[in-house]
Amino acid sequence: MLPLVVLFASGAVHADQLSVPDTLQQRIAACTTCHGLHGEGSPGSGFFPRLAGKPAGYLTLQLQNFQRGLRKYAPMQYTVRQLSPAYMREIAEYFAAQQVPYERTSVPELAPSVLQRGEQLVTTGDPALKVPPCQACHGKALTGTEPVVPGLVGLPYDYISSQLGSWRTGTRASAAPDCMAEIANRLAPADITAVSAWLASHDVPSNTHAQPAGSITPPLSCGVLDGRGNGA
């Protein structure tokens, strides 16, 4: 027979478990702690990106990529390790539906020539390096394209530069052929600084919705865009 103290303790734990509200807000608390209640990001940190308004397909895919080990960041990998596909989709759809104001983030002081280089890479690319413009996939207004291409506007400088660096080092990847890894490895470190600074300082358009599916013609072969990495 179990001691009464054990029985009482067991009952208390059970009662506590039952008292936790089964709401989406409660279940995504691990997400909102860093990314904000509505996925607005944490501009002060520079490393926790905005999730609000990004395509649900993109957000779902990123959760899957953390779970599969294609993206390597221990806190995120730990958070998603037991999530079901349906749950990941539910989380993604919540943040995709959020519409909250953008906040300007800090950008290092750089020479005008650096920002000019960043604008060139974003809007026209660099044929000599075989680097297409960011706008070719992320949309003319850089707000992303459905279903799996994210917007780049409003992201912190530190986050953009760290993600481009992650593609170079292999700590971030996507379905093969991984076009972002190809592009990142064709860029010099100075180019990554230029692109990150220009994007982070770029004005956010009035319409921040992603472009519709089928509105872009990818300049490179991308597994994530041809159906091999969309989580379907």
Side-chain angles (χ1 to χ4, degrees), residues 162-182:
S162 69
Q163 295 309 298
L164 288 170
S166 293
W167 264 300
R168 286 169 63 91
T169 61
T171 52
R172 178 170 183 171
S174 195
D178 190 345
C179 53
M180 275 305 306
E182 291 181 37

PDB file of all heavy atoms in Angstrom, residues 162-182:
ATOM      1  N   SER A 162      23.147  35.690 -40.187  1.00  0.00           N
ATOM      2  CA  SER A 162      23.430  34.399 -39.557  1.00  0.00           C
ATOM      3  C   SER A 162      22.842  33.247 -40.373  1.00  0.00           C
ATOM      4  O   SER A 162      23.443  32.169 -40.456  1.00  0.00           O
ATOM      5  CB  SER A 162      22.886  34.364 -38.128  1.00  0.00           C
ATOM      6  OG  SER A 162      21.472  34.343 -38.112  1.00  0.00           O
ATOM      7  N   GLN A 163      21.677  33.457 -40.996  1.00  0.00           N
ATOM      8  CA  GLN A 163      21.081  32.384 -41.787  1.00  0.00           C
ATOM      9  C   GLN A 163      21.856  32.143 -43.082  1.00  0.00           C
ATOM     10  O   GLN A 163      22.047  30.990 -43.494  1.00  0.00           O
ATOM     11  CB  GLN A 163      19.615  32.695 -42.084  1.00  0.00           C
ATOM     12  CG  GLN A 163      18.743  32.722 -40.847  1.00  0.00           C
ATOM     13  CD  GLN A 163      18.919  31.477 -39.992  1.00  0.00           C
ATOM     14  OE1 GLN A 163      18.643  30.365 -40.425  1.00  0.00           O
ATOM     15  NE2 GLN A 163      19.401  31.662 -38.767  1.00  0.00           N
ATOM     16  N   LEU A 164      22.305  33.202 -43.724  1.00  0.00           N
ATOM     17  CA  LEU A 164      23.141  33.016 -44.908  1.00  0.00           C
ATOM     18  C   LEU A 164      24.433  32.293 -44.526  1.00  0.00           C
ATOM     19  O   LEU A 164      24.917  31.419 -45.253  1.00  0.00           O
ATOM     20  CB  LEU A 164      23.441  34.369 -45.560  1.00  0.00           C
ATOM     21  CG  LEU A 164      22.253  35.024 -46.280  1.00  0.00           C
ATOM     22  CD1 LEU A 164      22.591  36.458 -46.664  1.00  0.00           C
ATOM     23  CD2 LEU A 164      21.852  34.220 -47.509  1.00  0.00           C
ATOM     24  N   GLY A 165      24.969  32.647 -43.366  1.00  0.00           N
ATOM     25  CA  GLY A 165      26.157  31.936 -42.877  1.00  0.00           C
ATOM     26  C   GLY A 165      25.866  30.482 -42.579  1.00  0.00           C
ATOM     27  O   GLY A 165      26.698  29.599 -42.826  1.00  0.00           O
ATOM     28  N   SER A 166      24.665  30.202 -42.061  1.00  0.00           N
ATOM     29  CA  SER A 166      24.291  28.815 -41.753  1.00  0.00           C
ATOM     30  C   SER A 166      24.194  27.967 -43.016  1.00  0.00           C
ATOM     31  O   SER A 166      24.555  26.786 -43.010  1.00  0.00           O
ATOM     32  CB  SER A 166      22.954  28.784 -41.008  1.00  0.00           C
ATOM     33  OG  SER A 166      23.077  29.367 -39.732  1.00  0.00           O
ATOM     34  N   TRP A 167      23.717  28.554 -44.109  1.00  0.00           N
ATOM     35  CA  TRP A 167      23.694  27.805 -45.367  1.00  0.00           C
ATOM     36  C   TRP A 167      25.114  27.538 -45.852  1.00  0.00           C
ATOM     37  O   TRP A 167      25.384  26.480 -46.425  1.00  0.00           O
ATOM     38  CB  TRP A 167      22.900  28.575 -46.425  1.00  0.00           C
ATOM     39  CG  TRP A 167      21.472  28.148 -46.532  1.00  0.00           C
ATOM     40  CD1 TRP A 167      21.016  26.895 -46.847  1.00  0.00           C
ATOM     41  CD2 TRP A 167      20.304  28.946 -46.320  1.00  0.00           C
ATOM     42  NE1 TRP A 167      19.643  26.874 -46.846  1.00  0.00           N
ATOM     43  CE2 TRP A 167      19.168  28.115 -46.542  1.00  0.00           C
ATOM     44  CE3 TRP A 167      20.106  30.291 -45.999  1.00  0.00           C
ATOM     45  CZ2 TRP A 167      17.872  28.584 -46.431  1.00  0.00           C
ATOM     46  CZ3 TRP A 167      18.813  30.751 -45.884  1.00  0.00           C
ATOM     47  CH2 TRP A 167      17.709  29.898 -46.094  1.00  0.00           C
ATOM     48  N   ARG A 168      26.015  28.448 -45.615  1.00  0.00           N
ATOM     49  CA  ARG A 168      27.406  28.242 -46.035  1.00  0.00           C
ATOM     50  C   ARG A 168      28.070  27.118 -45.234  1.00  0.00           C
ATOM     51  O   ARG A 168      28.886  26.368 -45.762  1.00  0.00           O
ATOM     52  CB  ARG A 168      28.212  29.538 -45.876  1.00  0.00           C
ATOM     53  CG  ARG A 168      27.905  30.592 -46.930  1.00  0.00           C
ATOM     54  CD  ARG A 168      28.524  31.929 -46.564  1.00  0.00           C
ATOM     55  NE  ARG A 168      29.974  31.877 -46.503  1.00  0.00           N
ATOM     56  CZ  ARG A 168      30.788  32.139 -47.537  1.00  0.00           C
ATOM     57  NH1 ARG A 168      30.285  32.461 -48.716  1.00  0.00           N
ATOM     58  NH2 ARG A 168      32.097  32.099 -47.388  1.00  0.00           N
ATOM     59  N   THR A 169      27.738  27.021 -43.950  1.00  0.00           N
ATOM     60  CA  THR A 169      28.383  26.032 -43.091  1.00  0.00           C
ATOM     61  C   THR A 169      27.640  24.709 -43.023  1.00  0.00           C
ATOM     62  O   THR A 169      28.121  23.756 -42.406  1.00  0.00           O
ATOM     63  CB  THR A 169      28.532  26.590 -41.662  1.00  0.00           C
ATOM     64  OG1 THR A 169      27.221  26.880 -41.134  1.00  0.00           O
ATOM     65  CG2 THR A 169      29.379  27.856 -41.657  1.00  0.00           C
ATOM     66  N   GLY A 170      26.441  24.649 -43.623  1.00  0.00           N
ATOM     67  CA  GLY A 170      25.677  23.409 -43.601  1.00  0.00           C
ATOM     68  C   GLY A 170      24.852  23.206 -42.356  1.00  0.00           C
ATOM     69  O   GLY A 170      24.298  22.117 -42.154  1.00  0.00           O
ATOM     70  N   THR A 171      24.727  24.221 -41.502  1.00  0.00           N
ATOM     71  CA  THR A 171      23.880  24.086 -40.322  1.00  0.00           C
ATOM     72  C   THR A 171      22.430  24.453 -40.626  1.00  0.00           C
ATOM     73  O   THR A 171      21.557  24.341 -39.773  1.00  0.00           O
ATOM     74  CB  THR A 171      24.388  24.953 -39.152  1.00  0.00           C
ATOM     75  OG1 THR A 171      24.569  26.299 -39.614  1.00  0.00           O
ATOM     76  CG2 THR A 171      25.716  24.419 -38.640  1.00  0.00           C
ATOM     77  N   ARG A 172      22.183  24.900 -41.854  1.00  0.00           N
ATOM     78  CA  ARG A 172      20.826  25.050 -42.350  1.00  0.00           C
ATOM     79  C   ARG A 172      20.788  24.481 -43.754  1.00  0.00           C
ATOM     80  O   ARG A 172      21.687  24.739 -44.562  1.00  0.00           O
ATOM     81  CB  ARG A 172      20.378  26.507 -42.366  1.00  0.00           C
ATOM     82  CG  ARG A 172      18.976  26.677 -42.941  1.00  0.00           C
ATOM     83  CD  ARG A 172      18.401  28.072 -42.767  1.00  0.00           C
ATOM     84  NE  ARG A 172      17.030  28.117 -43.284  1.00  0.00           N
ATOM     85  CZ  ARG A 172      16.192  29.140 -43.127  1.00  0.00           C
ATOM     86  NH1 ARG A 172      16.573  30.209 -42.460  1.00  0.00           N
ATOM     87  NH2 ARG A 172      14.969  29.083 -43.628  1.00  0.00           N
ATOM     88  N   ALA A 173      19.773  23.693 -44.039  1.00  0.00           N
ATOM     89  CA  ALA A 173      19.650  23.076 -45.361  1.00  0.00           C
ATOM     90  C   ALA A 173      18.180  22.865 -45.672  1.00  0.00           C
ATOM     91  O   ALA A 173      17.310  22.988 -44.808  1.00  0.00           O
ATOM     92  CB  ALA A 173      20.397  21.741 -45.402  1.00  0.00           C
ATOM     93  N   SER A 174      17.913  22.550 -46.939  1.00  0.00           N
ATOM     94  CA  SER A 174      16.562  22.226 -47.361  1.00  0.00           C
ATOM     95  C   SER A 174      16.645  21.114 -48.392  1.00  0.00           C
ATOM     96  O   SER A 174      17.716  20.552 -48.639  1.00  0.00           O
ATOM     97  CB  SER A 174      15.872  23.471 -47.930  1.00  0.00           C
ATOM     98  OG  SER A 174      14.481  23.259 -48.025  1.00  0.00           O
ATOM     99  N   ALA A 175      15.522  20.807 -49.008  1.00  0.00           N
ATOM    100  CA  ALA A 175      15.473  19.699 -49.961  1.00  0.00           C
ATOM    101  C   ALA A 175      16.437  19.942 -51.123  1.00  0.00           C
ATOM    102  O   ALA A 175      16.588  21.065 -51.605  1.00  0.00           O
ATOM    103  CB  ALA A 175      14.056  19.538 -50.494  1.00  0.00           C
ATOM    104  N   ALA A 176      17.099  18.892 -51.550  1.00  0.00           N
ATOM    105  CA  ALA A 176      18.016  18.978 -52.685  1.00  0.00           C
ATOM    106  C   ALA A 176      17.241  19.057 -53.996  1.00  0.00           C
ATOM    107  O   ALA A 176      16.171  18.444 -54.119  1.00  0.00           O
ATOM    108  CB  ALA A 176      18.936  17.759 -52.692  1.00  0.00           C
ATOM    109  N   PRO A 177      17.771  19.821 -54.943  1.00  0.00           N
ATOM    110  CA  PRO A 177      18.945  20.682 -54.835  1.00  0.00           C
ATOM    111  C   PRO A 177      18.643  21.916 -53.991  1.00  0.00           C
ATOM    112  O   PRO A 177      17.606  22.559 -54.171  1.00  0.00           O
ATOM    113  CB  PRO A 177      19.239  21.051 -56.289  1.00  0.00           C
ATOM    114  CG  PRO A 177      17.922  20.936 -56.998  1.00  0.00           C
ATOM    115  CD  PRO A 177      17.172  19.835 -56.308  1.00  0.00           C
ATOM    116  N   ASP A 178      19.554  22.204 -53.067  1.00  0.00           N
ATOM    117  CA  ASP A 178      19.367  23.294 -52.116  1.00  0.00           C
ATOM    118  C   ASP A 178      19.878  24.588 -52.739  1.00  0.00           C
ATOM    119  O   ASP A 178      21.050  24.929 -52.628  1.00  0.00           O
ATOM    120  CB  ASP A 178      20.109  22.979 -50.827  1.00  0.00           C
ATOM    121  CG  ASP A 178      19.765  23.936 -49.699  1.00  0.00           C
ATOM    122  OD1 ASP A 178      19.184  25.007 -49.982  1.00  0.00           O
ATOM    123  OD2 ASP A 178      20.094  23.631 -48.543  1.00  0.00           O
ATOM    124  N   CYS A 179      18.985  25.313 -53.397  1.00  0.00           N
ATOM    125  CA  CYS A 179      19.402  26.505 -54.139  1.00  0.00           C
ATOM    126  C   CYS A 179      19.919  27.601 -53.216  1.00  0.00           C
ATOM    127  O   CYS A 179      20.833  28.349 -53.583  1.00  0.00           O
ATOM    128  CB  CYS A 179      18.265  27.020 -55.010  1.00  0.00           C
ATOM    129  SG  CYS A 179      16.719  27.298 -54.128  1.00  0.00           S
ATOM    130  N   MET A 180      19.373  27.723 -52.003  1.00  0.00           N
ATOM    131  CA  MET A 180      19.871  28.753 -51.100  1.00  0.00           C
ATOM    132  C   MET A 180      21.291  28.466 -50.647  1.00  0.00           C
ATOM    133  O   MET A 180      22.101  29.382 -50.489  1.00  0.00           O
ATOM    134  CB  MET A 180      18.942  28.891 -49.890  1.00  0.00           C
ATOM    135  CG  MET A 180      17.756  29.809 -50.119  1.00  0.00           C
ATOM    136  SD  MET A 180      18.202  31.487 -50.688  1.00  0.00           S
ATOM    137  CE  MET A 180      19.367  32.000 -49.432  1.00  0.00           C
ATOM    138  N   ALA A 181      21.621  27.199 -50.457  1.00  0.00           N
ATOM    139  CA  ALA A 181      22.997  26.860 -50.111  1.00  0.00           C
ATOM    140  C   ALA A 181      23.938  27.210 -51.263  1.00  0.00           C
ATOM    141  O   ALA A 181      25.046  27.720 -51.041  1.00  0.00           O
ATOM    142  CB  ALA A 181      23.102  25.376 -49.763  1.00  0.00           C
ATOM    143  N   GLU A 182      23.487  26.941 -52.487  1.00  0.00           N
ATOM    144  CA  GLU A 182      24.306  27.287 -53.655  1.00  0.00           C
ATOM    145  C   GLU A 182      24.553  28.788 -53.710  1.00  0.00           C
ATOM    146  O   GLU A 182      25.685  29.238 -53.913  1.00  0.00           O
ATOM    147  CB  GLU A 182      23.608  26.834 -54.940  1.00  0.00           C
ATOM    148  CG  GLU A 182      23.542  25.327 -55.129  1.00  0.00           C
ATOM    149  CD  GLU A 182      22.852  24.972 -56.440  1.00  0.00           C
ATOM    150  OE1 GLU A 182      23.058  25.700 -57.432  1.00  0.00           O
ATOM    151  OE2 GLU A 182      22.099  23.980 -56.468  1.00  0.00           O
TER     152      GLU A 182
END
